[in-house]
Amino acid sequence: MGIDPGTNIMGYGVLRVADGHAHMVTMGIIDLRKFGDAYLKLGHIFERVTGIIDAYLPDELAIEAPFFGKNVQSMLKLGRAQGVAIAAAIHHGVPIHEYAPMKIKMALTGNGSASKEQVAGMLQRLLKLDASEMSKFMDATDALAAAYCHFLQMGRPESDAPHYKGWKDFVLKNQKKVKGSEK
């Protein structure tokens, strides 16, 4: 499941993965524009995200990380909306994965500064969606893009190569190699 957090419109998308291929189950929006009170919006986000999780039983949640803008108030509001969606997933025991907008765009289009329209177009091609299946809201396609980005990330098996936390960790784990190079 993917979520594109928003304070007026929040997007969501659900993928089903079978035999190594992703298929769209649904995508849509949570319309928050009718709520004047910020706390009512947050309550509605929790209710709707909980309802979507109950309906589709996702194994994991991919959520778009907030980008750093100049308006601090907007960032705080967006962070609250994202936090409530995350809380709904935690409440249901759904693991959460956060992706930067640039990472999602890069994963789908190969261009970290791709437009929302380019991302939606690539999703349509990758998932073989008919034009009638595409949402008119880019928030929905952005959410589906987060889910697809996560699908792509999960499709890459971990390398057998050792992982190191830094140079000290490398030296500790490779004493023979390090001592042999001092000659």
Side-chain angles (χ1 to χ4, degrees), residues 74-164:
S74 293
M75 287 290 301
L76 286 170
K77 290 175 185 175
L78 186 60
R80 286 177 178 170
Q82 182 198 37
V84 168
I86 289 170
I90 291 169
H91 181 73
H92 283 79
V94 177
I96 298 137
H97 306 273
E98 190 174 31
Y99 296 98
M102 186 179 282
K103 171 107 178 167
I104 295 169
K105 292 174 182 180
M106 184 65 112
L108 267 79
T109 68
N111 176 4
S113 55
S115 70
K116 289 179 175 286
E117 291 79 12
Q118 288 171 317
V119 170
M122 187 58 77
L123 267 177
Q124 187 174 0
R125 285 189 288 283
L126 291 168
L127 294 171
K128 298 175 177 68
L129 301 175
D130 187 78
S132 64
E133 297 175 279
M134 296 301 290
S135 175
K136 67 178 183 176
F137 291 96
M138 293 293 162
D139 309 88
T141 53
D142 282 354
L144 196 62
Y148 198 86
C149 173
H150 183 64
F151 160 71
L152 292 174
Q153 295 301 306
M154 297 292 75
R156 296 187 180 130
E158 284 295 317
S159 167
D160 290 336
H163 298 280
Y164 305 105

Side-chain angles (χ1 to χ4, degrees), residues 162-167 169-171 173-174 177:
H163 298 280
Y164 305 105
K165 296 176 186 165
W167 282 109
D169 189 36
F170 174 83
V171 170
K173 292 179 180 174
N174 293 283
K177 289 181 184 177

